[in-house]
Amino acid sequence: MIIIHSIFQMSPEIALFLALALGAWIGKFKFGKFQLGSVAGALVISVILSQFGVIIDDGIKGVLFALFIYAVGFESGPQFFSSLGLKSVKEIILAAVLALTAFATVVIMARIYDLDKGTASGIAAGALTQSAIIGTASSAIDKLGLSASVTQNLQSNVAIGYAVTYIFGSLGAIILCVNVLPWFMRRGLREDAVKAEAELLNSQRNYCPGETSALPELVGRVYKAGQAAGQTVAQIESLSTFGKITIERIKRNGKIIGLSSNLIIEKDDVLLIVGRRSGIIQIEGTMGPETNDRDGMDMVIATRDIIISGKEYAEKTIAQLLLTNKTLRHGVYFLRLSRGQKSIPLLNSTIVKPGDVVTVYGLDEDIQRLAQSVGPIITVNEKTDFIYHGLGIAAGLLVGLGVVHLGEIPLTLGAGGGALFSGLLFGWYRSRHMVRGNMPTAASGLLRDLGLAGFVAVVGLQSGQQAIHTIAEHGLSIFVVGLVVTVVPLVITMLIGRYILRYDNTAIFAGALSGARSANPAFGEILAKAGNSVPTTPFAITYALANVFLTLLGPLIVAFV
């Protein structure tokens, strides 16, 4: 015990990384359908390790949380700004409902247990994981005109209530949002996240690393010319009416020959044909037998994103573009069109705008030829633009320092709210200027996972020992009240969200619910379970509102308890 204490005193970082590792390990275990998850696991382990007297700098917590929340905002900026408006009314109501039910629950429990103003305010701050309540409640207590000793005692009770209830405030929100909500909705987070993403992408699907479709839209086949002998390359390419096809390579008498549109195909020529599945299927009976003769026929096909900036391509319909310069487009296939990371249907009537991103498929030389006329290719690399993102995080933290006074109540976004706002803004800007601000998916994932789990672990290491000691000294009553304040508002809001606001997608509902409760650890687990960023937009809206609504509870509780 003494040895472990001395090790943690010399290097508290060891306790932090032990909490991360062991938390991820215990988070993998399943008890029926319940799974703790890596974030909740890190919280549990860090509370245990805190009993050895770990002293860890508060700045580490701030840095880790800023990294997490900025990465979340960056990934969701385009969707967030496009979702603002009347579509956000449900999120506004949900955040207001949670704040009001939380206020009512705290006041009722305070009167049942005869709690003083300070303890009740501290319980609200911890059970709702809204640390700003500590400041607004303490400020309100200062203005009650009480004696110095009474004021100091009440303000000390704020800290005690907060310390006892914060741990379960985080853990309880994870359990309710990640485990109870899917059971209540009778649908999983992952399946509804995939469904919502498909709707966002107009029924297209984004595949995770290592995944691919069993039925790809574009395919390549090698044929030995039979029925097609005597026809030109251009004639064969025009045979299909269901989907575009192109002849990419011809082998005659064992040698690769030059390719041109008027070249006549001879019997037993070997042809590599690439095209849309529907087109390939249509011509199979008119080509000749498919062959396994791949010697010299294989080619490297690339998928690239091109920013549309050429004047002759912008402000035209897809139908108009398909009629222009077919030689320029030879061998290039349009897979999808996106605008601000939102997929646009590839219909003949769709109008292409400057800045749209078209995803194309074909030989690299064909794509490069097209790009010279259409616009620059978005370079895919594994390096993060640290200049862009360093400035983004710094700007967010700077915004978080600002304070606006509502009467005597100070309101601020704080470091978390500022970093989230900055991430949303920089992510939105990146979607419209894709040549700067690169952040690979793996890098963004590391920021999210390490940032959130590390933040939660530091919270556990800092407050776990004090919470256990306070419970032992003051009994379980404060903890029980905190448990009720954590659970009841979430359950009531869950019911209202489902049956009155008509949330029918579990992933979107979970994001909105965790944001309304300012429950960052719960949101991190929701993202992990969902497997995509669908929950982020509703979270960002309700989280911003929760920072205001829940902060206002401090002086209200002081006034009504």
Side-chain angles (χ1 to χ4, degrees):
M1 184 83 172
I2 297 175
I3 295 175
I4 297 175
H5 173 74
S6 62
I7 290 173
F8 288 165
Q9 286 292 309
M10 289 186 289
S11 180
E13 297 85 2
I14 295 175
L16 172 60
F17 285 101
L18 273 177
L20 293 175
L22 296 177
W25 178 63
I26 68 168
K28 292 181 179 179
F29 292 105
K30 288 187 176 181
F31 306 92
K33 291 188 176 180
F34 176 78
Q35 186 176 12
L36 197 61
S38 59
V39 176
L43 182 60
V44 171
I45 295 297
S46 63
V47 169
I48 295 172
L49 294 179
S50 72
Q51 306 310 305
F52 292 98
V54 182
I55 300 174
I56 193 163
D57 189 83
D58 200 52
I60 296 176
K61 181 175 69 174
V63 169
L64 290 169
F65 184 65
L67 292 176
F68 159 72
I69 205 68
Y70 174 83
V72 167
F74 179 76
E75 290 179 353
S76 307
Q79 297 95 321
F80 173 78
F81 286 105
S82 65
S83 70
L84 294 177
L86 292 176
K87 293 180 288 186
S88 306
V89 170
K90 288 201 300 186
E91 282 72 34
I92 296 170
I93 295 173
L94 196 78
V97 166
L98 195 141
L100 289 171
T101 54
F103 170 68
T105 304
V106 171
V107 172
I108 291 170
M109 294 302 294
R111 292 182 177 175
I112 290 173
Y113 281 83
D114 195 26
L115 301 176
D116 61 65
K117 297 176 184 292
T119 304
S121 301
I123 289 173
L128 301 174
T129 58
Q130 182 57 259
S131 304
I133 293 176
I134 297 175
T136 57
S138 297
S139 178
I141 290 170
D142 257 335
K143 295 176 175 60
L144 291 176
L146 303 173
S147 66
S149 60
V150 174
T151 298
Q152 185 177 3
N153 186 55
L154 288 176
Q155 290 176 337
S156 298
N157 289 346
V158 173
I160 291 172
Y162 176 81
V164 172
T165 57
Y166 188 87
I167 301 297
F168 186 80
S170 296
L171 187 59
I174 294 173
I175 294 171
L176 286 165
C177 294
V178 179
N179 299 104
V180 175
L181 180 62
W183 168 82
F184 171 66
M185 297 287 287
R186 289 180 167 77
R187 284 197 307 277
L189 278 165
R190 177 59 179 160
E191 61 187 274
D192 273 11
V194 170
K195 177 184 175 183
E197 185 180 50
E199 292 174 358
L200 183 65
L201 297 174
N202 292 302
S203 298
Q204 298 179 34
R205 178 174 177 180
N206 277 341
Y207 291 95
C208 297
E211 295 181 342
T212 187
S213 173
L215 296 171
E217 170 66 14
L218 296 167
V219 295
R221 294 288 186 269
V222 179
Y223 295 96
K224 180 173 285 189
Q227 302 95 310
Q231 299 184 68
T232 65
V233 168
Q235 287 174 325
I236 293 175
E237 291 181 341
S238 64
L239 286 175
S240 174
T241 57
F242 289 165
K244 179 183 172 186
I245 63 168
T246 52
I247 297 175
E248 295 291 353
R249 185 162 286 183
I250 299 176
K251 183 166 64 174
R252 181 174 294 169
N253 299 323
K255 294 183 179 179
I256 304 298
I257 63 174
L259 190 63
S260 64
S261 60
N262 58 0
L263 177 69
I264 298 176
I265 304 300
E266 297 182 2
K267 186 173 176 59
D268 294 333
D269 280 354
V270 179
L271 285 68
L272 169 63
I273 301 181
V274 175
R276 299 192 180 277
R277 176 178 295 277
S278 56
I280 296 289
I281 291 173
Q282 187 182 11
I283 68 164
E284 281 183 343
T286 61
M287 287 302 302
E290 189 170 356
T291 177
N292 197 34
D293 183 2
R294 298 181 55 182
D295 186 24
M297 301 300 291
D298 198 11
M299 303 183 75
V300 176
I301 303 292
T303 301
R304 297 284 185 265
D305 291 328
I306 300 177
I307 303 173
I308 296 176
S309 58
K311 293 181 180 179
E312 64 271 30
Y313 283 86
E315 301 297 342
K316 291 185 178 179
T317 65
I318 297 291
Q320 290 172 322
L321 293 178
L322 292 177
L323 294 174
T324 60
N325 204 333
K326 292 186 178 181
T327 302
L328 182 67
R329 296 190 302 102
H330 184 271
V332 178
Y333 297 83
F334 299 135
L335 298 181
R336 57 183 169 269
L337 183 70
S338 57
R339 185 173 299 151
Q341 292 191 355
K342 183 177 182 180
S343 184
I344 305 296
L346 279 172
L347 305 176
N348 286 336
S349 58
T350 300
I351 298 176
V352 176
K353 301 286 186 181
D356 285 355
V357 177
V358 61
T359 302
V360 298
Y361 172 95
L363 295 177
D364 193 58
E365 53 264 36
D366 289 336
I367 293 175
Q368 293 290 344
R369 184 184 67 248
L370 180 70
Q372 289 176 4
S373 175
V374 174
I377 297 173
I378 298 174
T379 303
V380 178
N381 60 62
E382 296 303 314
K383 292 188 176 181
T384 300
D385 187 344
F386 281 110
I387 298 174
Y388 186 86
H389 297 295
L391 290 173
I393 295 174
L397 296 176
L398 188 62
V399 168
L401 295 177
V403 179
V404 175
H405 286 82
L406 186 62
E408 304 241 345
I409 303 171
L411 296 177
T412 177
L413 285 174
L420 175 62
F421 175 76
S422 176
L424 291 169
L425 193 60
F426 275 61
W428 171 83
Y429 185 82
R430 155 75 175 169
S431 70
R432 280 154 175 75
H433 302 82
M434 299 292 288
V435 294
R436 58 172 64 92
N438 185 59
M439 183 188 289
T441 302
S444 178
L446 178 63
L447 290 184
R448 288 198 326 267
D449 296 343
L450 177 62
L452 181 63
F455 163 75
V456 169
V458 172
V459 167
L461 292 171
Q462 287 181 327
S463 59
Q465 188 178 44
Q466 183 183 357
I468 299 298
H469 287 170
T470 305
I471 291 174
E473 183 180 346
H474 294 271
L476 288 172
S477 60
I478 295 177
F479 178 80
V480 171
V481 173
L483 186 149
V484 172
V485 173
T486 294
V487 172
V488 170
L490 277 172
V491 171
I492 294 174
T493 307
M494 197 184 300
L495 293 170
I496 291 175
R498 179 70 182 97
Y499 296 114
I500 297 179
L501 298 179
R502 299 292 180 183
Y503 276 97
D504 57 3
N505 185 289
T506 306
I508 292 173
F509 192 8
L513 188 63
S514 61
R517 234 303 306 276
S518 191
N520 299 301
F523 174 62
E525 282 298 327
I526 290 165
L527 277 184
K529 295 273 186 178
N532 59 34
S533 62
V534 162
T536 304
T537 295
F539 168 83
I541 297 169
T542 54
Y543 177 79
L545 294 168
N547 273 333
V548 176
F549 293 164
L550 296 182
T551 300
L552 291 173
L553 294 188
L556 289 176
I557 291 169
V558 170
F560 283 88
V561 170

